[in-house]
Amino acid sequence: RLRSQYVFKMVPILNPDGVARGHYRTDSRGCNLNRFYDEPSQEAHPSIYAVKTYLAGQKASLKLYLDLHAHASKRGCFIYGNHLERCERQLANQLYVKCISLNSPWFEYKGCDFSEKGMSGKDKRDNGLTKAGSGRVGIFLATGCTHCYTLECNYNEGLGTNQIGNCHGVTFPDSSVAGISFGESPVHGYDGVNLRYDRYIGNPSRMTTPKYNREMFCNVGESCA
């Protein structure tokens, strides 16, 4: 249904040279390409230049920009969003992200960041470059699109799970089972349909999640749609 109403433009990889050399953050020249969307060079950052130029020409029809990243340190699946001045636009901005959390047990809304600082902060690994050059900020400034985001997914695991309705055919544990309380008991796995969990007596110090697998990442992606 979505494909009958919208045109999806997908770029499988923006940093092929860096990834081919085993880099998880930088290109073959040692540059973090996600810091050059403000002023990309056609010669030095051709993939970024091409994406920004194309989307700037589509700004009248652009509804959503979603930049997909893996995160090596911060746990969970979460989004970095922009801080918009008008209240109604910021509400729409965050409401979309909240809807993702209502449709996926693995997406963590509490881990998301929509702060103004998050649009301009520096990382010492990027030689003084700021997040003003990130895709979500650069594309927002170039197009004015409300829904510009970076989706981050940890390579390994998250901090917690959401108790949600049966939106994607996910089968949840029966909360009436003695000793089991979903949201307090360790979930042990997910096969794309069923959550597997262990019986737990007492109150663990925090919710736990299983190691992420392909089905979990797919579930987060489906929930973004």
Side-chain angles (χ1 to χ4, degrees):
R1 183 182 300 177
L2 283 172
R3 286 186 294 174
S4 69
Q5 298 175 352
Y6 298 95
V7 176
F8 288 81
K9 299 292 185 179
M10 300 183 184
V11 181
I13 187 169
L14 283 164
N15 182 23
D17 296 336
V19 171
R21 288 166 172 78
H23 301 176
Y24 74 94
R25 187 177 180 85
T26 61
D27 66 2
S28 58
R29 300 166 57 250
C31 297
N32 178 2
L33 293 177
N34 198 35
R35 293 295 179 268
F36 291 95
Y37 278 85
D38 49 351
E39 295 182 9
S41 163
Q42 187 171 6
E43 291 74 26
H45 325 111
S47 60
I48 306 305
Y49 180 89
V51 167
K52 182 179 180 181
T53 300
Y54 176 79
L55 292 179
Q58 303 292 319
K59 61 183 179 181
S61 58
L62 184 65
K63 302 300 182 185
L64 172 71
Y65 169 83
L66 190 60
D67 192 9
L68 310 180
H69 285 241
H71 208 292
S73 55
K74 186 175 178 180
R75 292 166 62 185
C77 298
F78 55 92
I79 268 179
Y80 289 129
N82 295 318
H83 182 80
L84 311 183
E85 292 185 0
R86 290 173 52 193
C87 181
E88 60 270 26
R89 290 191 72 189
Q90 185 63 17
L91 177 61
N93 179 28
Q94 293 188 220
L95 185 59
Y96 166 77
V97 179
K98 181 63 178 177
C99 287
I100 300 175
S101 72
L102 297 176
N103 284 274
S104 174
W106 320 115
F107 183 84
E108 301 176 28
Y109 184 78
K110 290 183 178 179
C112 300
D113 186 351
F114 301 92
S115 67
E116 189 172 3
K117 181 180 179 181
M119 297 178 68
S120 59
K122 292 182 180 180
D123 191 312
K124 60 184 179 182
R125 295 175 294 179
D126 295 325
N127 299 317
L129 297 173
T130 74
K131 292 183 179 180
S134 66
R136 63 183 169 87
V137 178
I139 299 304
F140 165 68
L141 294 176
T143 65
C145 178
T146 297
H147 300 290
C148 293
Y149 308 101
T150 305
L151 173 63
E152 299 274 4
C153 292
N154 185 271
Y155 288 104
N156 192 38
E157 63 181 356
L159 290 171
T161 53
N162 301 319
Q163 186 172 9
I164 65 171
N166 197 18
C167 299
H168 283 297
V170 177
T171 302
F172 291 92
D174 183 356
S175 60
S176 65
V177 177
I180 299 295
S181 175
F182 185 66
E184 292 184 344
S185 301
V187 180
H188 209 59
Y190 178 66
D191 61 9
V193 177
N194 300 302
L195 292 169
R196 301 189 303 276
Y197 59 98
D198 287 340
R199 184 178 299 275
Y200 192 97
I201 305 300
N203 295 313
S205 58
R206 64 170 177 81
M207 287 189 292
T208 58
T209 62
K211 303 298 183 183
Y212 286 149
N213 58 27
R214 179 180 179 275
E215 288 76 18
M216 295 176 188
F217 291 132
C218 288
N219 177 265
V220 172
E222 290 171 2
S223 299
C224 292

